[in-house]
Amino acid sequence: MTDATHGSAADKSVTTDPSGPMLAADGTPLKTSLNRALRKQKRRALFLIAPLLVFILVTFIYPIGEMLFRSVENQIVGDTLPRTVRVLADWDTEASDIPGPAVFSALAKDMMVATEEKNHTRLGSRLNYEASGLSSLFRKTGRGVDDVGEGYTEQFVALDPAWEDPQTFIDIFAGPRWLDANAEYDGEGPRPTFRLAAGIGEVLPQTASIYRDFARVVQTEDDDNPAEEEPWNTVYLALYEDLQAGAVIPADMAHADMLNAAQVAAASFTTTDVLADFVSFDKDWADRDVWRIIQTYSAPYTTGYFLNSADLQLTPDGVAWRPENERVYVTLFIRTLIMSTAITVSCILLGYPIGWLLANLPSRQANLLMILVLLPFWTSLLVRTSAWKVLLQDQGVINDLLVWIGVVADDNRLALINNATGTIISMTHILLPFMILPLYSVMKTIPPSYLRAAKSLGATNWTAFWRVYFPQSVPGIGAGSILVFILAIGYYITPEIVGGTKGVFISNRIAYHISTSLNWGLAAALGAILLVIVLGFYWAYDRIVGIDNVKLGG
């Protein structure tokens, strides 16, 4: 009876066809049914972890990726000086000392837009990273660029006063859709985006381009109506250049008669030396090296930040070493690695005996010692570091104690602060718990009977420790070393306070560029290199020791 019951249940769940695949109860192949069930389980698991995954992507992965992207991003030059970059691409640096008039004309238009949008100072700061003095160059130019082309404005207005009327330019350049939207605008919400009239870009390309920028800036930056604002002087400069270039004015174009008359008169206009205008702002505009730097860094992406991180620089002539007095980053990287290694070794030497005591003492005493190990976590890092600054200084507690017991003379006190020694001492104290805890958790799992068995077989205390106990504690050493080394290599508060000029890490320079110099591109490049170095050490450790041997206990 029992066998018949089980057989009936099996027939309901799986059907076996000798001539075909095994089928499930619903008639589908068993393999297909199992795959469908497995996919459902995976989707359910993905649904459960999706909130955490999204949180990590949004708050951790994306910000880090965005920051690291700054190490190669260089779009500010092309975005701020688009016309200049296009024309400058054809400049032969060997054929002339400085670019021709077309580049300066494009620069006048770009600088006018950048000044109104307050972007010229950001551009100057970016280029100042490559050559000092460029920041002030762009600031000075921004204060006077609105006068470039003023001579053409006066001559157009003298030819016909209608050229001074903003409505004239609206009639010529504004598209009908914008005219209708602007007429209906009631002051609520953003103004309708300015649109050019169809075909005007082919007739007067330079003027249409700069007038569109003028209208956009008036709307977005000043919240005004372009139909009520007189155009910039650079608009008249562009209009003169278009007419002189032989623009063909259609007969049905608005103000075609005015444009034709202006085209005839423009042949006798007094020309403005735009180059001389810029040189009057700052003589560095006549410096060939300035233009070569702008040309070199006009690409949207650059290796310049990474080269600077290696004490190199990207010059118009290629990659070259930075001046000897500016080569600091390779030294800082080497110092960071050496000192982080020294801190890690110090933590091993001090933490191993403590971990052994914690693992072998009775529970009551071990718990008391564990509280003392964890006690520093309850104190602010800044307070602990400041305390070491008091302890290590020339007239501090440690030197006073050494003088009192006669180890050092009063006039020959030890230099323990503002150097590498102070950094290693203070950071060893701060990071020591991160070494002790992994060691303790692994040592706690080593049975004491192993040592007793080794001694019963004739091993000495040292042999029993070295051949039996120590190999089993290596996973704890590995876990603690990785933890301490990675934490040490990224520390910057403690080295900044007690390290002086000889005990700071590369992380201090990264913090400086992020918060003080605002050179985020260089900070991102330094951080990326530091990340690669850490991953390299992690890979080497995995190849030599094996990451599977790293344990936190159990």
Side-chain angles (χ1 to χ4, degrees):
M1 182 69 177
T2 304
D3 294 340
T5 303
H6 285 301
S8 176
D11 291 340
K12 291 180 181 180
S13 59
V14 179
T15 302
T16 303
D17 183 358
S19 62
M22 185 176 292
L23 303 178
D26 58 358
T28 61
L30 181 60
K31 183 177 180 179
T32 303
S33 180
L34 291 175
N35 289 336
R36 184 186 304 122
L38 185 60
R39 285 195 298 270
K40 287 182 179 179
Q41 290 180 351
K42 290 181 177 179
R43 285 196 296 267
R44 188 181 302 114
L46 180 62
F47 177 77
L48 291 174
I49 68 170
L52 178 60
L53 182 63
V54 171
F55 176 79
I56 293 175
L57 288 174
V58 173
T59 63
F60 185 72
I61 303 298
Y62 175 77
I64 291 178
E66 180 72 15
M67 187 62 190
L68 293 180
F69 176 70
R70 291 177 180 271
S71 63
V72 295
E73 188 268 337
N74 190 52
Q75 298 176 0
I76 185 172
V77 180
D79 290 346
T80 309
L81 305 177
R83 300 174 180 85
T84 309
V85 167
R86 283 196 299 270
V87 182
L88 193 60
D90 299 328
W91 175 47
D92 185 356
T93 59
E94 303 299 329
S96 61
D97 287 340
I98 58 175
V103 172
F104 281 92
S105 176
L107 179 63
K109 303 179 183 74
D110 287 334
M111 280 297 298
M112 188 66 213
V113 177
T115 301
E116 292 293 325
E117 293 181 332
K118 309 296 188 297
N119 288 331
H120 65 298
T121 54
R122 292 179 57 243
L123 174 61
S125 298
R126 166 65 188 95
L127 294 177
N128 200 71
Y129 299 148
E130 312 305 331
S132 60
L134 292 184
S135 179
S136 62
L137 171 67
F138 279 89
R139 282 200 304 271
K140 291 178 184 178
T141 304
R143 290 193 290 267
V145 71
D146 57 340
D147 292 331
V148 177
E150 186 177 11
Y152 294 115
T153 303
E154 294 173 351
Q155 293 179 82
F156 272 106
V157 173
L159 179 66
D160 191 329
W163 283 116
E164 195 174 16
D165 186 358
Q167 188 61 43
T168 301
F169 287 87
I170 292 295
D171 295 341
I172 296 174
F173 293 100
R177 288 178 58 188
W178 180 82
L179 289 171
D180 294 341
N182 191 56
E184 297 173 358
Y185 179 68
D186 58 1
E188 297 294 331
R191 291 182 178 274
T193 303
F194 181 82
R195 297 179 183 275
L196 290 170
I200 191 63
E202 286 74 29
V203 179
L204 301 170
Q206 297 193 61
T207 316
S209 175
I210 188 63
Y211 188 80
R212 179 177 55 198
D213 285 341
F214 158 77
R216 174 177 55 81
V217 169
V218 167
Q219 289 181 306
T220 58
E221 300 297 323
D222 303 331
D223 194 25
D224 287 330
N225 186 356
E228 300 174 355
E229 297 292 324
E230 185 177 349
W232 300 326
N233 290 321
T234 48
V235 175
Y236 293 92
L237 169 62
L239 179 59
Y240 169 78
E241 292 173 343
D242 281 334
L243 295 178
Q244 280 293 88
V248 179
I249 310 300
D252 59 346
M253 183 175 174
H255 300 289
D257 293 340
M258 284 180 60
L259 288 167
N260 285 318
Q263 189 170 29
V264 173
S268 59
F269 276 6
T270 300
T271 59
T272 297
D273 189 347
V274 179
L275 188 158
D277 287 342
F278 275 92
V279 173
S280 69
F281 302 147
D282 195 305
K283 60 181 177 57
D284 284 345
W285 285 117
D287 186 348
R288 178 170 175 261
D289 290 338
V290 169
W291 285 103
R292 296 182 73 191
I293 290 173
I294 295 175
Q295 186 184 57
T296 300
Y297 288 92
S298 60
Y301 304 103
T302 181
T303 59
Y305 291 123
F306 280 102
L307 291 174
N308 289 340
S309 300
D311 292 334
L312 299 169
Q313 59 183 339
L314 182 62
T315 68
D317 298 320
V319 178
W321 286 102
R322 297 192 69 85
E324 191 169 350
N325 62 338
E326 297 179 12
R327 301 177 192 175
V328 296
Y329 296 116
V330 172
T331 301
L332 284 174
F333 274 116
I334 295 174
R335 179 192 298 167
T336 299
L337 295 176
I338 293 175
M339 292 180 62
S340 296
T341 302
I343 292 166
T344 303
V345 172
S346 299
C347 287
I348 294 174
L349 296 177
L350 295 175
Y352 198 94
I354 298 174
W356 185 86
L357 281 174
L358 289 171
N360 290 278
L361 284 175
S363 297
R364 183 181 182 87
Q365 298 174 9
N367 291 337
L368 178 61
L369 284 180
M370 181 61 71
I371 292 175
L372 297 178
V373 170
L374 298 177
L375 190 61
F377 287 129
W378 305 338
T379 308
S380 167
L381 173 63
L382 190 60
V383 172
R384 283 181 282 163
T385 303
S386 300
W388 275 110
K389 191 174 181 67
V390 173
L391 291 171
L392 296 173
Q393 59 186 331
D394 290 345
Q395 303 299 323
V397 176
I398 294 178
N399 264 306
D400 283 347
L401 178 61
L402 294 175
V403 170
W404 181 68
I405 63 178
V407 175
V408 298
D410 187 41
D411 59 349
N412 192 30
R413 291 175 175 248
L414 300 179
L416 301 176
I417 197 71
N418 296 330
N419 52 30
T421 303
T423 300
I424 292 175
I425 292 174
S426 57
M427 287 188 61
T428 298
H429 166 255
I430 290 170
L431 297 178
L432 187 58
F434 295 99
M435 178 65 71
I436 294 174
L437 294 177
L439 284 170
Y440 166 72
S441 63
V442 171
M443 291 175 175
K444 193 68 176 175
T445 64
I446 302 175
S449 59
Y450 288 3
L451 288 176
R452 291 195 298 268
K455 292 178 183 179
S456 70
L457 294 174
T460 63
N461 288 336
W462 169 253
T463 302
F465 166 77
W466 185 249
R467 298 288 297 274
V468 177
Y469 192 87
F470 181 78
Q472 296 182 80
S473 66
V474 167
I477 296 176
S481 298
I482 290 177
L483 192 59
V484 170
F485 183 82
I486 291 177
L487 288 173
I489 208 172
Y491 252 61
Y492 70 93
I493 294 178
T494 302
E496 183 71 23
I497 294 176
V498 302
T501 58
K502 299 296 183 180
V504 294
F505 288 1
I506 192 64
S507 50
N508 294 96
R509 205 62 184 172
I510 295 174
Y512 167 77
H513 286 307
I514 288 178
S515 61
T516 303
S517 73
L518 302 182
N519 189 351
W520 288 10
L522 182 55
L526 293 171
I529 294 175
L530 194 61
L531 177 61
V532 170
I533 291 174
V534 170
L535 293 177
F537 275 100
Y538 184 86
W539 175 85
Y541 183 90
D542 184 39
R543 297 285 293 180
I544 297 172
V545 179
I547 202 64
D548 293 337
N549 293 325
V550 174
K551 296 180 181 178
L552 293 175

